[in-house]
């Protein structure tokens, strides 16, 4: 299996052996690693071989078995250059992108990635790095450019992988949530928070609506993207400011409904993730699924990975399992 | 065979007038973006149609049922 929890020593050996890796772990572990063909992000939550686990003592290692030293490019992107990520991605291949949570880059990518040139033409997957929830406000999320040794809190790192012509990368998502049968909600402004909205076409203060309807904030808003169910998770309601904050932006022109309730997260993921995913090169899931689904010690099929502060499948997603497969065509 | 870029069907797809059923995530998201952009500004339609044609051309090998549905 190419996605496992390892010690720092085991990880360093893989790096020295020239393996191409995407790493997730506590920043103090990742800082100690040698330079090599890797990118990384800080996070202490994972679903691994023994199920969900939080640890600052192990590194979650994703070995990109479809890549070699000669078929990759590791690149840091700043606020001026991130808009080029899809243009610079390989014509045939895929990109793994890691962005620090709570950074200006996080907001930039969330708000604008869908409009970047060539976005959706080339597979871009990845995740938003984070910290232990007890460390929020004390420690900033980081990303790591393993090629240069940089530890970054205000830029993104990407691993571009070129594939041969006979192979194709595809991004897949598993989302427990589907649009419910409730009100249709739209927003006139793009953003990570909202004050006004239209509920079934009637202007309403969204914080008042959420409070009066007693919405379960564990159930995200869901938009239907031509069959794909795309979540926007609730972060908090500020009753004084009368605003609602989200973990991804809401977009104008999109109809949202709150998700229908789900049952046990593990049973639901098992049903969605049934079977083997041997072609998977990368997988990640959401910290909210870890928490709300009580995933500690429990598995989600064979799609192991870090449990992140946001998932990237072209755009920023929430509460979604994202994975990338490489198959022959 | 993919319809030529000049085929009016691409504009219909870009405006949402024509729908295509797909489970390709990239196409699902691209369609969502272009349809919301063209709804907000019809001047975007030709560019959006071009993007869709480019996507279908690039992924022709795996979009068989979607291409058949375009005709």
């Amino acid at each position: 299996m190419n996605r496992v929890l390892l010690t720092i020593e085991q990880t360093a050996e893989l790096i020295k052996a020239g393996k191409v890796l995407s790493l997730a772990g506590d920043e103090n572990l990742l800082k100690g690693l040698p330079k090599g063909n890797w990118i990384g992000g800080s996070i202490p939550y994972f679903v691994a071989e023994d199920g969900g686990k939080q640890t600052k003592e192990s590194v979650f290692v994703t070995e990109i078995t479809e890549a070699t030293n000669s078929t990759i490019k590791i690149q840091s992107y700043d606020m001026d250059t991130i808009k080029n990520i899809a243009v610079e991605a390989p014509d045939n291949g895929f990109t793994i992108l890691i962005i620090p949570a709570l950074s200006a880059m996080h907001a930039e990518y969330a708000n604008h990635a869908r409009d970047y040139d060539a976005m959706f033409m080339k597979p871009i997957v990845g995740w938003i790095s984070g910290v232990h929830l007890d460390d929020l406000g004390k420690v900033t999320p980081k990303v790591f450019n393993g090629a240069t040794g940089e530890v970054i809190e205000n830029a993104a790192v990407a691993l571009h992988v070129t594939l041969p012509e006979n192979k194709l990368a595809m991004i897949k998502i598993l989302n427990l949530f589907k649009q419910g049968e409730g009100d249709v909600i739209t927003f006139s402004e793009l953003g990570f928070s909202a004050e006004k909205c239209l509920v079934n076409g009637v202007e309403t203060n969204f914080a008042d609506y959420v409070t009066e309807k007693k919405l379960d904030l564990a159930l995200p808003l869901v938009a239907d993207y031509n069959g794909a169910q795309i979540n926007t998770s609730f972060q908090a309601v500020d009753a004084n400011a009368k605003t609602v904050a989200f973990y991804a932006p809401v977009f104008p022109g999109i109809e949202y409904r709150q998700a229908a309730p789900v049952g046990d997260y593990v049973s639901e993921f098992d049903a969605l993730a049934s079977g083997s995913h041997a072609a998977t090169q990368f997988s990640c899931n959401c910290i909210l699924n870890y928490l709300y689904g009580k995933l500690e010690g429990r598995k989600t099929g064979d799609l192991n990975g870090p449990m992140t502060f946001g998932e990237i499948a072209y755009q920023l997603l929430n509460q979604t399992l994202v994975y990338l497969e490489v198959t022959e065509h | 065979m993919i319809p030529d870029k000049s085929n009016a069907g691409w504009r219909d797809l870009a405006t949402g007038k024509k729908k295509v059923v797909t489970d390709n995530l990239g196409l699902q998201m691209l369609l969502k973006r272009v349809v919301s952009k063209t709804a907000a500004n019809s001047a975007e339609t030709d560019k959006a149609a071009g993007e869709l044609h480019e996507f279908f051309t690039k992924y022709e090998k795996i979009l068989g049922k979607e291409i058949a549905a375009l005709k």
Side-chain angles (χ1 to χ4, degrees), chain A residues 43 98-102 106 126-130 308-312 316:
Chain A
I43 195 79
I98 312 177
I99 298 175
L102 312 172
H106 182 190
W127 53 288
I128 307 299
S129 70
T308 69
F309 279 37
E311 307 77 62
I312 296 170
L316 176 68

Side-chain angles (χ1 to χ4, degrees), chain A residues 91 114-115 119-123 168 170-171 173 224-228 230 254 313-314 317 329, chain B residues 19-20 22 24-33 36-37 47 51 54-55 58-59 61-62:
Chain A
D91 282 340
R114 68 175 197 161
D115 294 317
M119 185 53 70
F120 310 117
M121 293 297 296
K122 303 169 186 178
L168 194 66
M170 295 283 291
I171 301 175
I173 61 173
D224 186 334
Y225 279 44
N226 300 287
I230 303 296
I254 304 283
Y314 306 102
L317 304 185
H329 279 270
Chain B
K19 309 257 188 244
V20 67
T22 183
N24 181 293
L25 182 65
L27 182 56
Q28 289 169 320
M29 290 184 143
L30 176 60
L31 282 166
K32 192 68 172 179
R33 188 195 75 199
S36 30
K37 289 282 183 184
K47 180 183 173 197
E51 285 184 86
E54 187 182 352
F55 188 95
K58 182 176 170 120
Y59 292 106
K61 281 186 203 174
I62 57 167

Side-chain angles (χ1 to χ4, degrees), chain A residues 26-296:
Chain A
D26 184 73
E27 69 168 89
N28 294 312
L29 285 185
L30 300 183
K31 278 176 182 168
L33 289 169
K35 288 184 190 175
N37 299 328
W38 65 275
I39 62 171
S42 58
I43 195 79
Y45 303 96
F46 315 97
V47 168
E49 309 90 88
D50 297 328
K53 186 170 184 171
Q54 50 177 297
T55 177
K56 291 184 178 181
E57 308 300 322
S58 301
V59 180
F60 194 94
V61 177
T62 297
E63 183 186 345
I64 312 302
T65 55
E66 292 288 342
T68 66
N69 180 58
S70 62
T71 65
I72 64 166
K73 182 178 179 185
I74 293 172
Q75 182 82 35
S76 295
Y77 286 89
D78 63 23
M79 295 289 280
D80 290 329
T81 58
I82 188 66
K83 62 182 184 293
N84 302 322
I85 182 142
V87 170
E88 292 180 5
D91 282 340
N92 186 43
F94 60 94
T95 297
I96 298 175
L97 177 67
I98 312 177
I99 298 175
L102 312 172
S103 62
M105 177 61 73
H106 182 190
E108 159 61 30
Y109 194 86
N111 288 335
H112 301 299
R114 68 175 197 161
D115 294 317
Y116 293 166
D117 284 347
M119 185 53 70
F120 310 117
M121 293 297 296
K122 303 169 186 178
I124 299 176
V125 286
W127 53 288
I128 307 299
S129 70
V131 296
H132 194 284
L133 295 177
D134 292 346
D135 294 332
L136 273 173
K138 304 171 199 165
V139 179
T140 54
K142 309 290 192 299
V143 297
F144 296 76
N145 182 324
T148 62
E150 292 170 276
V151 181
I152 305 164
E153 60 181 31
N154 58 2
V157 288
L159 171 66
H160 294 298
V161 179
T162 298
L163 292 172
E165 276 185 24
N166 67 323
K167 293 195 175 179
L168 194 66
M170 295 283 291
I171 301 175
K172 306 274 179 74
I173 61 173
L174 298 182
N175 187 0
L176 298 183
F177 303 98
K178 292 182 167 43
Q179 283 192 319
E181 298 294 318
D183 297 323
V184 174
I185 303 162
T186 57
F187 302 90
S188 60
E189 292 181 18
L190 164 71
F192 274 80
S193 70
E195 188 179 335
K196 291 181 206 169
C197 67
L198 296 179
V199 177
N200 301 327
V202 177
E203 187 170 293
T204 309
N205 175 274
F206 193 50
D208 286 344
Y209 171 83
V210 169
T211 304
E212 282 157 20
K213 290 279 188 175
K214 297 186 173 58
L215 296 192
D216 178 357
L217 299 188
L219 298 175
L221 295 179
V222 184
D224 186 334
Y225 279 44
N226 300 287
Q229 302 289 288
I230 303 296
N231 300 336
T232 303
S233 299
F234 287 98
Q235 183 175 6
V237 177
D238 186 331
N240 290 331
K242 287 187 172 293
T243 57
V244 178
F246 308 103
Y247 283 113
V250 289
F251 293 91
I254 304 283
E255 292 186 345
Y256 298 90
R257 292 180 195 259
Q258 193 181 26
V262 297
D264 174 64
Y265 279 47
V266 168
S267 304
E268 301 273 350
F269 268 123
D270 277 346
L272 286 177
S274 62
S276 166
H277 298 88
T280 300
Q281 288 288 289
F282 169 86
S283 175
C284 70
N285 203 334
C286 185
I287 182 69
L288 294 179
N289 285 336
Y290 185 95
L291 295 171
Y292 298 152
K294 299 180 173 50
L295 294 186
E296 187 137 340

